């Protein structure tokens, strides 16, 4: 009994994905066919098509899975302890100082190697 809804669901999912593909193709073709129209109207039409396509995608099993994944990712991002302004400033200054020191070291090494090679060559 549980196998039948899964089969119907997957069959309908295929139809839904084909509909989404048709919407994307319609958007691409429509954008090129109506290239003489205002950019605003074409953009609004593409946004509307994308909205309909997203709605249809969210009705499929994979789309629901992605939606759940997105919600869980947002929960995890809220758990992250973000650095405050002082920590960010200090870390940025450390990175800048290390980059400057490495630039000087590489400049010195390049100058030495250049001098050594020019001395050997003549």
């Amino acid at each position: 009994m549980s196998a039948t809804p899964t089969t119907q669901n997957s069959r309908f999912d295929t139809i839904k994905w084909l509909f989404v593909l048709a919407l994307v193709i319609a958007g691409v073709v429509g954008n090129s066919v109506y290239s003489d129209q205002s950019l605003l109207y074409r953009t609004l039409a593409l946004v509307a098509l994308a909205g309909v396509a997203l709605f249809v995608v969210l009705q499929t099993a994979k789309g629901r899975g992605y939606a759940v994944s997105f919600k869980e990712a947002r929960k995890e991002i809220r758990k992250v302890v973000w650095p405050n302004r002082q920590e960010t400033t200090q870390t940025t200054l450390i990175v800048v100082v290390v980059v400057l020191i490495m630039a000087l070291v590489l400049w010195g090494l390049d100058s030495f190697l250049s001098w050594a090679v020019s001395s050997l060559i003549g």
Side-chain angles (χ1 to χ4, degrees), residues 22 24 33 59:
V24 170
V33 167
Q59 303 306 311

Side-chain angles (χ1 to χ4, degrees), residues 3-4 25-26 30 43 49-51 54-56 59 62 70-71 80-81 99 101 103-105 107 121:
T4 306
I25 291 172
T43 304
L49 281 174
L54 181 64
F55 177 76
V56 173
Q59 303 306 311
K62 281 189 178 185
F70 183 73
K71 287 178 185 177
V80 173
V81 178
V99 166
I101 290 171
L104 290 173
V105 167
W107 172 74
I121 291 176

Side-chain angles (χ1 to χ4, degrees), residues 3 14 23 27 31 34 41-42 61 66 89 105 116 121:
T14 305
L23 286 174
N31 193 34
Y34 294 108
Y41 296 141
R42 289 184 292 146
Y66 285 126
T89 304
V105 167
I121 291 176

Side-chain angles (χ1 to χ4, degrees), residues 89-111:
T89 304
Q90 288 173 349
T91 305
T92 303
L93 288 176
I94 290 170
V95 168
V96 168
V97 168
V98 168
V99 166
L100 288 174
I101 290 171
M102 286 306 299
L104 290 173
V105 167
L106 290 173
W107 172 74
L109 183 63
D110 182 52
S111 296

Side-chain angles (χ1 to χ4, degrees), residues 1 8 17-18 22 29-30 38 46 48 61 69 73 77 87 96 99 110 116:
M1 189 171 184
Q8 287 178 344
W17 283 108
L18 289 174
V29 170
S38 170
L46 287 174
S69 237
I77 287 175
E87 292 170 340
V96 168
V99 166
D110 182 52

Side-chain angles (χ1 to χ4, degrees), residues 68-86:
V68 167
S69 237
F70 183 73
K71 287 178 185 177
E72 290 174 0
R74 285 190 60 185
K75 278 185 200 175
E76 291 299 320
I77 287 175
R78 288 187 188 128
K79 293 178 185 178
V80 173
V81 178
W82 298 102
N84 59 27
R85 188 175 191 86
Q86 180 185 6

Side-chain angles (χ1 to χ4, degrees), residues 6-61:
T6 306
T7 306
Q8 287 178 344
N9 223 0
S10 97
R11 185 171 14 138
F12 289 135
D13 280 357
T14 305
I15 292 169
K16 290 174 188 174
W17 283 108
L18 289 174
F19 182 68
V20 168
L21 180 65
L23 286 174
V24 170
I25 291 172
V28 170
V29 170
N31 193 34
S32 78
V33 167
Y34 294 108
S35 62
D36 57 334
Q37 297 297 318
S38 170
L39 179 64
L40 174 67
Y41 296 141
R42 289 184 292 146
T43 304
L44 290 175
L46 287 174
V47 167
L49 281 174
V52 171
L54 181 64
F55 177 76
V56 173
V57 164
L58 290 175
Q59 303 306 311
T60 64

